[in-house]
Amino acid sequence: MAQQMRAMVLERQHSPLQPEDVPRPEPKDGQILVRVSACGVCRTDLHVCDGDLKHPKPHLIPGHEIVGHVEAMGRGVTGFEPGQRVGIPWLGWTCGECVYCRAGQENLCENAGFTGYTLDGGYAQYAVADARYCFPVHGDYTDAEVAPLLCAGLIGYRSLRMAGEGRRLGLYGFGAAAHIVAQVARWQGRDIYAFVRPGDENAKDFAKDLGAVWTGDSDKPAPELLDAAIIYAPVGELVPAALRAVRPGGTVVCAGIHMSDIPAFPYELLWRERQIVSVANLTRRDGEEFLELAPKVPVKTSVERFPLDQANEALGRLRDGELRGAAVLTMDSAAT
């Protein structure tokens, strides 16, 4: 009989995760088995659990901000060794053959596998992953502190690059991704304008603590036109608001994997070469660059830790906007 492990399992969307004892996975050729020590709780996990993202893997173990140590390796694995600390991100596998893979756009792969969505993830004591899509983790971060870097950080970094090099940067929604991006942007010498849910004074204070030059409600204008804006909140109504906030030639980046419908808006908001772009997934190059950059800034993540069996509470706190930074599930005392 296979060795068992504890996991939080999504049996049905729109329902709470269930704690279960399930067989521990074994690494196949090219895979590594990781003893999970921490796994971040991402808004994408909410979209999977709440049914915004359709057709997850049956009997799914969510979670794609995974930090742990190599327990075993399948045949053909190179570049890793037992006991090494590694991170497992959202992008878990690509085909290497479709038009996007051949063009160097693996984040758009037509057949990609995604950790914690179409592949089992890290809300468990162990996880397996294709070694080619895992990252060595270095630096003085604790395992819990590293976890948000693997999605909030990576997608945030990609969205920051897509926003261009302008100095005045607006961030809509100040949670896990924005609190990381704000630190990188300030290190680059940019001015941060933080737009938060109306009345959320805690988020305003959080943004100020991280160096924002202005904070305000998301339905209010900034005191001056911005060079670019990044939308992390999954709220389509923010797209016209962000277009109003950026200067001619400015860029609005939609950084979420899911967003509510964008309402109709007058063409004049887009005119004069403003543009709207979206961010899809990440590439391995994004991961390598950002994980090398983060300790240099240094990025410091604000995390609230939850035991594995409190995953539903962590998701609920995220859903209700009650977190300062990121929630992280921890498997044992090694992640604290």
Side-chain angles (χ1 to χ4, degrees):
M1 180 178 295
Q3 184 174 336
Q4 298 291 102
M5 69 173 186
R6 196 65 168 170
M8 298 297 290
V9 179
L10 180 66
E11 298 286 4
R12 187 169 70 250
Q13 289 182 302
H14 306 289
S15 297
L17 302 179
Q18 299 299 314
E20 297 183 16
D21 292 321
V22 300
R24 191 187 81 172
E26 296 300 327
K28 299 178 181 178
D29 293 354
Q31 292 183 328
I32 57 175
L33 173 68
V34 174
R35 179 190 289 270
V36 178
S37 53
C39 185
V41 178
C42 179
R43 185 163 293 277
T44 300
D45 300 338
L46 271 185
H47 293 316
V48 173
C49 294
D50 292 350
D52 299 319
L53 297 181
K54 308 299 183 184
H55 312 300
K57 171 189 175 294
H59 199 73
L60 172 72
I61 300 173
H64 58 274
E65 297 179 324
I66 306 169
V67 182
H69 295 79
V70 177
E71 184 83 1
M73 299 182 291
R75 291 185 302 175
V77 172
T78 59
F80 294 98
E81 58 185 29
Q84 182 176 0
R85 186 163 71 153
V86 298
I88 303 174
W90 169 251
L91 185 66
W93 183 87
T94 59
C95 69
E97 299 177 353
C98 70
V99 62
Y100 300 106
C101 286
R102 293 198 304 270
Q105 297 174 296
E106 65 180 9
N107 60 309
L108 303 180
C109 175
E110 296 176 323
N111 307 298
F114 299 108
T115 310
Y117 179 35
T118 61
L119 306 169
D120 278 330
Y123 286 17
Q125 293 174 308
Y126 292 88
V128 292
D130 188 319
R132 298 172 299 169
Y133 297 83
C134 299
F135 302 112
V137 174
H138 306 290
D140 297 330
Y141 295 106
T142 67
D143 296 340
E145 290 169 341
V146 169
L149 300 181
L150 291 163
C151 185
L154 296 184
I155 293 299
Y157 175 68
R158 187 172 182 85
S159 66
L160 181 60
R161 288 197 291 111
M162 295 181 73
E165 299 180 356
R167 179 172 178 177
R168 297 184 302 276
L169 177 67
L171 301 178
Y172 284 80
F174 208 87
H179 99 281
I180 292 172
V181 168
Q183 295 176 65
V184 178
R186 292 291 298 133
W187 178 74
Q188 293 174 336
R190 307 189 197 213
D191 293 334
I192 299 300
Y193 296 75
F195 297 80
V196 306
R197 185 162 44 186
D200 192 343
E201 297 303 319
N202 289 332
K204 291 179 184 178
D205 291 341
F206 189 26
K208 290 175 183 176
D209 290 344
L210 291 173
V213 300
W214 176 89
T215 63
D217 294 344
S218 58
D219 58 353
K220 299 292 193 303
E224 57 186 323
L225 289 177
L226 308 175
D227 297 306
I230 307 174
I231 301 176
Y232 293 112
V235 181
E237 292 178 357
L238 293 177
V239 173
L243 284 171
R244 290 187 181 93
V246 299
R247 62 168 175 80
T251 300
V252 173
V253 182
C254 300
I257 193 171
H258 170 80
M259 178 179 278
S260 60
D261 289 347
I262 300 171
F265 58 86
Y267 175 66
E268 64 180 334
L269 292 183
L270 188 62
W271 188 58
R272 299 187 70 189
E273 300 191 352
R274 295 177 179 89
Q275 57 182 323
I276 306 170
V277 298
S278 68
V279 173
N281 311 314
L282 64 128
T283 67
R284 284 172 282 183
R285 181 178 176 182
D286 293 330
E288 292 162 359
E289 290 181 358
F290 179 69
L291 291 176
E292 181 178 347
L293 173 65
K296 296 177 181 177
V297 172
V299 171
K300 297 182 179 180
T301 54
S302 176
V303 300
E304 185 170 346
R305 298 165 175 82
F306 296 81
L308 175 62
D309 61 6
Q310 291 182 16
N312 288 313
E313 179 182 345
L315 288 166
R317 294 276 302 282
L318 175 59
R319 186 183 290 110
D320 295 338
E322 296 177 351
L323 295 169
R324 182 182 173 97
V328 177
L329 304 181
T330 58
M331 310 305 152
D332 53 43
S333 59
T336 63

